Amino acid sequence: MCENEDVAHLRLDGYRNVYVRKRTLELKIGNSVLHLRVQLHMCIQGKEKKERIPLEKRTNIGFKWNKQVPNSREVRQTIRKRKEELEQAARFRELSVSVDQVSEKWWREKGPPTITMIAEHYGIFKDLFHDAYFYPSVDLDVCYDFDENHDLPVFCGNHIRADEVRAPPNITYTSDDSSLWTLIMTAPDSHLQKTDAEYLHWMIGNIPGNRLADGEELCNYLPPFPLQGTGAHRYVFILFKQNEKIDFTSEKRPDNCISLDQRTFQTAEFYKHYEDDITPAGISFFQCEYDESVRDVFWDILDMKHPSFEFVHPPPYHPKQKKWPGKQPFDLYLDRYKDVKQINEEVLREKLKTINPFQPKPPRPKYPNVALVDKSTPSWIKLKNKHRRLQELHFKDLD
Amino acid sequence: SLLDISSSSVLPTRTKTNYSRRSGEPKSVKAVTARFYRLDWGVWIRTRAGRASHLWRKSKGRKYRLRQHVFCTKTQSKLLDRMVTDHYKRKRNYVNDPYESYQVRNHFDKWFPRRSKPFLP
């Protein structure tokens, strides 16, 4: 990743994670050509990007979707006939549009390819099915309970907080009572050791019709645990339609399974194993970020120490330090070469001077800059104090 | 003569006094301590000339640059070091010192490593 041999004489040893493209520029250039050096530093090592194969050329593992295009001639005729009455109703605010009708029409005409497109964008087919795709034939409706009057639905990649997904969701979909279904909830991004494996959060097999309670719970619900510092993780619900009753004993995990090894899962392998009997029919997914409640999942449920990560950003490029910098503003020059952690430590020390653990935090003044500036302060500190008062730049952590 | 202080031929000078009359010790030049500030790693800091005069005719950027406190060059710093006593070169720990974080250079050993002498038996 980091080719220090190439750029050793640029003396960027003090910084980690340097990404440099193969040199096309001569490195023996003077300080006056600073912008070229900055470009060189900012270049990311180019891995040749594989071109994505378009959807149409890949294998469709789901049910065929019959595209229903409305007859435009008929549509125009109906519009012409009803235009007058609809317009009048609209102007008198009496026009009511049935939302159910509209959503049903959307589902018939555009729903499945739209959802497939979104899932493709989120890389779900790439990560779960190794590039095979499917059009959802069933409107899978996943809903987490928020409170008495409200629900948290799962659509295609919406963000949901970790403390709201602790309990298993309510799942509904239109189906025959005689048909059998399998539901899987996986997390492709959470795996702690492997890059190509997922964690199985929930699996129910042989579901008769709509009734999840009557299905075989092969793996009990484990709340999502997106790791600290890793950003948003995807959590995918996939509904498979079964041709017949399948014997899932090989997939059965022990009750209240907390072993992450046992929960390691690969959707592609699972699907390959039962390829003849199941077809993917519904998909829904959401994103979740780290929250303090995730710690409770690790401590209480998984019974392990909670891992936390920190993203180390590549440091910004600055020219080589000089022993005698010359006529430069001293505080700005020296601040450039400070470690980020040192700056954070200084801010933290300032914050600790004002904190009193036995008293509540005083409210922030509404107009912080109204206070008169002490005339004896040196001119170079004045701008810094302004940032301090307004809690801007690195002083945001003073809060 | 030079020993006669009340004589008007002896005028005050701004050069450094190496041996003071009273104690025989060197004295620092007050003009230096009034205009410059020393950081522990050897550099001296100064303000820029013209930062308080004719500001109406100076552009915003120019005024900003004039407000900055800048380094002195190497020769200037060395000269100023010679013009003051050790009192001004001591490390001091003030409470809430705004210059505290600037008394130390960062990543200095990596950029300018001390060259160890080669062992020639």
Side-chain angles (χ1 to χ4, degrees), chain A residues 273-292:
Chain A
H273 195 249
Y274 299 99
E275 205 173 12
D276 303 321
D277 301 316
I278 59 173
T279 14
I283 183 166
S284 196
F285 53 99
F286 68 98
Q287 291 185 81
C288 195
E289 271 192 311
Y290 175 81
D291 213 311
E292 276 183 5

Side-chain angles (χ1 to χ4, degrees), chain A residues 11 320-330 335 337-338 342 346 353 379-381 384, chain B residues 41 45-46 48 51 64 67-71 74 96 98-99 101-102 105-108 111-112:
Chain A
R11 300 252 225 136
K320 187 175 132 178
Q321 268 198 81
K322 286 187 184 168
K323 264 190 196 171
W324 300 100
K327 203 163 89 174
Q328 297 239 18
F330 82 100
D335 278 340
Y337 299 100
K338 273 186 193 167
Q342 193 190 344
E346 283 165 22
K353 284 176 193 170
S379 54
W380 64 272
I381 295 179
K384 276 200 162 58
Chain B
W41 51 277
I45 288 172
R46 62 177 178 84
R48 299 210 57 189
R51 69 200 204 108
Y64 170 80
R67 282 199 295 271
Q68 303 307 316
H69 287 38
V70 295
F71 291 122
K74 180 179 176 182
N96 299 331
Y99 297 92
S101 52
Y102 305 111
R105 294 282 317 248
N106 290 298
H107 298 296
F108 199 71
W111 291 96
F112 304 103

Side-chain angles (χ1 to χ4, degrees), chain A residues 140-380:
Chain A
L140 177 62
D141 186 26
V142 183
C143 229
Y144 281 97
D145 286 328
F146 186 63
D147 61 29
E148 285 165 13
N149 300 323
H150 296 95
D151 272 336
L152 265 177
V154 169
F155 296 123
C156 290
N158 49 324
H159 282 268
I160 299 180
R161 284 213 322 248
D163 52 353
E164 287 153 1
V165 268
R166 293 294 294 271
N170 305 318
I171 298 187
T172 48
Y173 49 91
T174 45
S175 66
D176 248 352
D177 216 26
S178 55
S179 53
L180 292 165
W181 305 82
T182 310
L183 178 81
I184 286 176
M185 179 183 170
T186 54
D189 304 322
S190 297
H191 207 279
L192 293 167
Q193 275 115 16
K194 300 183 193 168
T195 47
D196 53 353
E198 308 141 30
Y199 279 137
L200 183 68
H201 280 264
W202 205 20
M203 176 139 95
I204 309 181
N206 295 320
I207 306 167
N210 217 337
R211 297 165 277 138
L212 258 77
D214 297 333
E216 258 178 67
E217 197 177 48
L218 303 157
C219 187
N220 70 313
Y221 183 79
L222 180 71
F225 50 90
L227 304 159
Q228 185 177 22
T230 46
H233 290 221
R234 297 166 292 177
Y235 293 93
V236 191
F237 291 92
I238 303 180
L239 189 69
F240 294 97
K241 184 161 186 185
Q242 295 173 228
N243 297 338
E244 54 188 12
K245 184 154 180 159
I246 300 174
D247 180 23
F248 279 122
T249 42
S250 58
E251 302 289 336
K252 170 84 183 147
R253 266 84 175 169
D255 291 331
N256 295 324
C257 174
I258 57 164
S259 158
L260 289 177
D261 273 333
Q262 285 181 337
R263 278 180 184 263
T264 302
F265 186 70
Q266 289 194 340
T267 317
E269 268 187 36
F270 167 80
Y271 177 70
K272 258 188 197 165
H273 195 249
Y274 299 99
E275 205 173 12
D276 303 321
D277 301 316
I278 59 173
T279 14
I283 183 166
S284 196
F285 53 99
F286 68 98
Q287 291 185 81
C288 195
E289 271 192 311
Y290 175 81
D291 213 311
E292 276 183 5
S293 61
V294 174
R295 279 195 317 216
D296 298 332
V297 173
F298 276 106
W299 292 336
D300 302 334
I301 301 173
L302 289 171
D303 197 21
M304 61 188 267
K305 291 183 188 171
H306 101 274
S308 77
F309 294 86
E310 194 186 322
F311 189 82
V312 179
H313 296 273
Y317 178 81
H318 292 304
K320 187 175 132 178
Q321 268 198 81
K322 286 187 184 168
K323 264 190 196 171
W324 300 100
K327 203 163 89 174
Q328 297 239 18
F330 82 100
D331 55 322
L332 301 177
Y333 184 86
L334 292 170
D335 278 340
R336 247 173 259 153
Y337 299 100
K338 273 186 193 167
D339 222 15
V340 174
K341 298 215 168 178
Q342 193 190 344
I343 297 172
N344 291 340
E345 192 196 313
E346 283 165 22
V347 172
L348 180 65
R349 278 181 195 278
E350 265 200 59
K351 182 180 175 181
L352 290 172
K353 284 176 193 170
T354 54
I355 281 180
N356 187 347
F358 302 111
Q359 271 165 24
K361 202 166 85 168
R364 276 194 70 190
K366 200 173 172 189
Y367 304 106
N369 269 341
V370 155
L372 286 171
V373 171
D374 191 7
K375 284 200 177 174
S376 64
T377 53
S379 54
W380 64 272

Side-chain angles (χ1 to χ4, degrees), chain A residues 108-126:
Chain A
R108 262 185 288 123
E109 287 172 23
K110 287 194 180 160
T114 313
I115 293 175
T116 307
M117 181 180 76
I118 300 171
E120 162 73 9
H121 173 77
Y122 276 84
I124 284 167
F125 296 129
K126 180 179 145 212

Side-chain angles (χ1 to χ4, degrees), chain A residues 19-198:
Chain A
Y19 298 94
V20 180
R21 190 170 46 185
K22 245 190 192 171
R23 293 187 288 166
T24 49
L25 297 165
E26 181 55 51
L27 280 173
K28 287 179 191 165
I29 41 182
N31 279 331
S32 57
V33 202
L34 184 64
H35 64 283
L36 287 170
R37 291 180 138 224
V38 172
Q39 259 184 38
L40 183 68
H41 178 85
M42 298 299 265
C43 284
I44 298 171
Q45 195 161 35
K47 271 188 186 176
E48 280 173 27
K49 278 191 181 171
K50 280 189 206 167
E51 277 193 28
R52 298 276 300 144
I53 307 166
L55 209 65
E56 300 86 50
K57 293 187 183 171
R58 291 189 250 151
T59 41
N60 184 351
I61 52 173
F63 293 110
K64 191 181 176 195
W65 176 65
N66 297 314
K67 192 173 176 184
Q68 292 182 22
V69 176
N71 188 340
S72 59
R73 195 159 173 232
E74 277 179 25
V75 168
R76 270 182 277 137
Q77 279 179 351
T78 36
I79 290 172
R80 227 181 295 136
K81 277 184 207 169
R82 298 196 62 200
K83 191 176 177 185
E84 213 183 294
E85 80 173 81
L86 288 173
E87 198 191 325
Q88 202 173 53
R91 283 182 196 280
F92 286 115
R93 292 198 187 172
E94 284 157 17
L95 183 64
S96 65
V97 179
S98 160
V99 179
D100 294 330
Q101 257 189 357
V102 171
S103 54
E104 200 203 337
K105 190 171 153 69
W106 175 80
W107 179 260
R108 262 185 288 123
E109 287 172 23
K110 287 194 180 160
T114 313
I115 293 175
T116 307
M117 181 180 76
I118 300 171
E120 162 73 9
H121 173 77
Y122 276 84
I124 284 167
F125 296 129
K126 180 179 145 212
D127 293 327
L128 298 194
F129 292 102
H130 296 321
D131 266 353
Y133 73 102
F134 65 92
Y135 291 116
S137 51
V138 158
D139 52 344
L140 177 62
D141 186 26
V142 183
C143 229
Y144 281 97
D145 286 328
F146 186 63
D147 61 29
E148 285 165 13
N149 300 323
H150 296 95
D151 272 336
L152 265 177
V154 169
F155 296 123
C156 290
N158 49 324
H159 282 268
I160 299 180
R161 284 213 322 248
D163 52 353
E164 287 153 1
V165 268
R166 293 294 294 271
N170 305 318
I171 298 187
T172 48
Y173 49 91
T174 45
S175 66
D176 248 352
D177 216 26
S178 55
S179 53
L180 292 165
W181 305 82
T182 310
L183 178 81
I184 286 176
M185 179 183 170
T186 54
D189 304 322
S190 297
H191 207 279
L192 293 167
Q193 275 115 16
K194 300 183 193 168
T195 47
D196 53 353
E198 308 141 30

